[in-house]
Amino acid sequence: MELYNILILIFVALWQPATQHIFSNKFYENYQSQLRTQNEIHSAKYKYEIKTINMPVDHFSFSKLDTFKLRYLINNTWQKEDNAPIFFYTGNEGNIETFAQNTGFMWEIAPEFKALLIFAEHRYYGESMPYGNKSYADISHLGYLTSQQALADYVDLIEYLRSEPQYKHSPVIVFGGSYGGMLSAWMRMKYPHIIQGVLNSSNYYSAFMIDKGKEWLSDDWKLCQPLKNANDVKQFKSYLKDIYTNLAVVNYPYKANFLAPLPAYPVNAVCKHLTNESLTGTELLTAVHKAINIFTNYTSETKCLNLNNSIPQLDAIGWPFQSCTEMVMPICSDGINDMFEPNPWNLDEYSKDCIKQYSVKPQSNLVCEQYGCKDLSTATNIVFSNGLVDPWSSGGVLQNLSSSAIAIIIPEGAHHLDLRSSEPNDPYSVILARKFHRYFIKQWIKEYREKEEKHY
């Protein structure tokens, strides 16, 4: 086919968290080096103390006695008295400091509620590696990367905090965005006796075979590894697709540094390079390169494009394994109703790839069996917020489930925009949503206090 057929035009109907690229153990050392550098940068905005707690590798076995150190961040600046509310963030698929620095809403309301802030890291991410540099070595080490184990980590950490006399009767309000939002909602459903309320944001319920062309792309686009064969081209196209989806997700109305340093409304900035419909061949690909540079090299500091990782700042090295086990999210395209090449969902083929890569078979119904899907009528004290600019909103809870399990819609909101810090360019809908968040948090704390007074 002609050269320009490799172009996949912009933006997606569904967001794939973290990426489809597979990160093996050989990336571990580079990942840890990047992590330390990023943490040094991130530590500037919000201050916290870094602590660890011993956790069992397997919470549900009496025979597996291995333990590891789970990392969490703590800030008690605004706690003024005993039994202060505990605002607890359920960590996502990445190092916890990234999410602490991008969840400004918790920091903004902590003084109002005189709350203790806790950001818990998800096992197998950041520095919470159960088996150190062997954590991703094989299935015997990696098999404990599940949402059930992660939730049990968070419960143990809360119970540990509440074992201190000053927090014995503290109400716990849990926050989470994206995958972290899924965890926070599941935590309330599975452990309603542990937490009092949840603020859950943005959850989700062509060939190019000409050698000369590959050489041109490798050089002109400054790829870290040159394109040599059909598999490399397939990876290149997947890389572009990831970037397009990422742009749709983080289309914030102001400059931001989540996933990558970006200008305000990055989608608009990208589209300015793609206004000439008559371009073809290398001219078209040059324009596309300038466009994606908004995401890949906005600061002009990137020396080459690493096709193995379209979002290095997230450090989501374990997500491909999770998506091969319990976090199975059917995503497809038909090339007619979307802007991508036809790619039908095929669970059998997907399973074969997972077995080949990790020796595991996806359990596509496990999440529904564990936490519920179609019937969530028993859910209480949860706010499901979704921004309609966010592609993930198509799979979110968009209607109230009960009088206390509420759906909040943010028409101009990108991915968990409401959990980010306030900005002058915030749309009114997100400002209003945060007012609702405060209202429900106050209600949950009040209900808990009244219940505690009756018992003690």
Side-chain angles (χ1 to χ4, degrees):
M1 293 185 178
E2 295 181 337
L3 181 62
Y4 65 83
N5 282 345
I6 70 160
L7 173 65
I8 306 171
L9 293 178
I10 301 182
F11 313 127
V12 67
L14 287 171
W15 148 242
Q16 300 181 56
T19 182
Q20 291 295 319
H21 305 313
I22 305 299
F23 298 95
S24 63
N25 192 51
K26 67 180 180 179
F27 293 103
Y28 182 84
E29 292 183 1
N30 288 337
Y31 155 70
Q32 289 294 330
S33 176
Q34 292 175 358
L35 175 63
R36 287 189 292 271
T37 301
Q38 291 163 16
N39 288 346
E40 290 172 1
I41 296 173
H42 290 156
S43 63
K45 188 173 182 181
Y46 298 119
K47 302 298 181 181
Y48 39 73
E49 184 180 356
I50 300 175
K51 292 189 174 184
T52 61
I53 178 175
N54 284 332
M55 283 291 170
V57 170
D58 188 350
H59 288 273
F60 310 110
S61 169
F62 291 99
S63 60
K64 189 73 172 180
L65 302 180
D66 294 354
T67 62
F68 73 103
K69 292 189 179 300
L70 184 82
R71 195 167 63 127
Y72 65 98
L73 316 179
I74 182 170
N75 184 304
N76 63 357
T77 301
W78 301 283
Q79 175 193 342
K80 302 302 180 183
E81 55 188 25
D82 289 350
N83 298 318
I86 298 174
F87 287 179
F88 189 100
Y89 188 91
T90 50
N92 299 54
E93 70 281 22
N95 79 78
I96 190 58
E97 294 187 66
T98 296
F99 294 97
Q101 295 295 334
N102 285 277
T103 313
F105 179 66
M106 287 178 64
W107 297 88
E108 289 179 358
I109 66 173
E112 176 184 350
F113 290 92
K114 299 179 176 59
L116 173 72
L117 290 181
I118 300 291
F119 292 84
E121 191 159 70
H122 195 299
R123 57 169 54 203
Y124 287 89
Y125 293 106
E127 297 181 13
S128 298
M129 296 291 173
Y131 293 105
N133 60 7
K134 294 182 179 180
S135 296
Y136 284 79
D138 52 50
I139 190 62
S140 67
H141 293 87
L142 188 54
Y144 303 98
L145 172 52
T146 69
S147 64
Q148 295 92 339
Q149 298 283 2
L151 291 183
D153 289 340
Y154 299 153
V155 168
D156 276 12
L157 176 53
I158 291 172
E159 293 294 84
Y160 167 75
L161 294 170
R162 278 178 156 172
S163 69
E164 296 290 331
Q166 60 181 323
Y167 301 121
K168 184 176 181 180
H169 301 297
S170 288
V172 179
I173 308 300
V174 176
F175 298 73
S178 193
Y179 171 52
M182 298 163 71
L183 291 172
S184 64
W186 293 339
M187 193 170 178
R188 170 64 186 175
M189 296 173 189
K190 201 168 184 67
Y191 301 100
H193 57 293
I194 300 294
I195 61 176
Q196 283 60 64
V198 170
L199 177 53
N200 164 315
S201 180
S202 298
N203 72 326
Y204 181 70
Y205 265 103
S206 86
F208 173 42
M209 302 302 295
I210 305 173
D211 289 340
K212 186 175 180 180
K214 294 197 292 289
E215 182 180 353
W216 179 88
L217 260 178
S218 301
D219 294 339
D220 191 79
W221 283 47
K222 294 182 173 60
L223 303 184
C224 297
Q225 299 88 25
L227 303 177
K228 295 181 179 180
N229 51 48
N231 286 334
D232 291 344
V233 173
K234 183 178 179 181
Q235 185 179 21
F236 174 71
K237 293 162 71 174
S238 178
Y239 174 84
L240 289 179
K241 187 175 181 179
D242 283 343
I243 289 174
Y244 299 154
T245 61
N246 296 337
L247 279 163
V249 167
V250 294
N251 193 34
Y252 298 128
Y254 48 79
K255 287 185 177 181
N257 192 24
F258 181 59
L259 302 190
L262 293 170
Y265 294 111
V267 170
N268 292 344
V270 166
C271 289
K272 288 179 180 179
H273 295 284
L274 300 170
T275 58
N276 188 345
E277 296 181 8
S278 66
L279 295 180
T280 60
T282 57
E283 289 182 338
L284 176 57
L285 288 171
T286 297
V288 173
H289 185 211
K290 291 179 179 178
I292 70 160
N293 265 353
I294 298 297
F295 186 89
T296 62
N297 199 16
Y298 182 62
T299 61
S300 299
E301 296 178 356
T302 301
K303 296 180 180 179
C304 63
L305 297 185
N306 181 5
L307 303 186
N308 289 317
N309 194 355
S310 59
I311 43 174
Q313 286 203 0
L314 190 57
D315 300 318
I317 61 173
W319 186 258
F321 174 79
Q322 289 192 263
S323 66
C324 272
T325 52
E326 58 178 344
M327 306 302 295
V328 182
M329 300 180 184
I331 296 175
C332 58
S333 56
D334 61 14
I336 300 173
N337 298 300
D338 50 61
M339 307 165 343
F340 299 108
E341 295 175 323
N343 183 27
W345 170 253
N346 187 316
L347 181 59
D348 290 337
E349 291 299 319
Y350 188 83
S351 297
K352 290 178 182 177
D353 289 340
C354 291
I355 293 171
K356 180 179 179 181
Q357 184 65 34
Y358 293 111
S359 300
V360 296
K361 185 176 181 179
Q363 298 186 42
S364 57
N365 294 321
L366 183 59
V367 163
C368 293
E369 293 170 356
Q370 287 288 321
Y371 310 114
C373 284
K374 293 182 179 180
D375 183 6
L376 299 176
S377 59
T378 59
T380 59
N381 288 17
I382 302 175
V383 168
F384 298 92
S385 69
N386 279 281
L388 298 187
V389 175
D390 177 17
W392 265 119
S393 63
S394 62
V397 176
L398 303 180
Q399 295 181 335
N400 293 350
L401 300 179
S402 68
S403 60
S404 67
I406 305 298
I408 293 179
I409 306 301
I410 308 171
E412 302 93 347
H415 204 52
H416 48 74
L417 175 61
D418 49 331
L419 289 187
R420 297 179 61 81
S421 58
S422 300
E423 294 284 344
N425 292 328
D426 278 335
Y428 177 71
S429 59
V430 77
I431 296 173
L432 185 61
R434 291 179 181 134
K435 291 182 182 293
F436 278 107
H437 295 344
R438 286 181 169 91
Y439 168 79
F440 286 111
I441 291 171
K442 289 178 181 177
Q443 287 295 108
W444 297 332
I445 293 175
K446 179 182 177 183
E447 291 172 4
Y448 176 80
R449 302 280 193 216
E450 291 174 350
K451 182 179 178 180
E452 287 293 289
E453 288 178 1
K454 291 180 180 179
H455 288 154
Y456 297 98

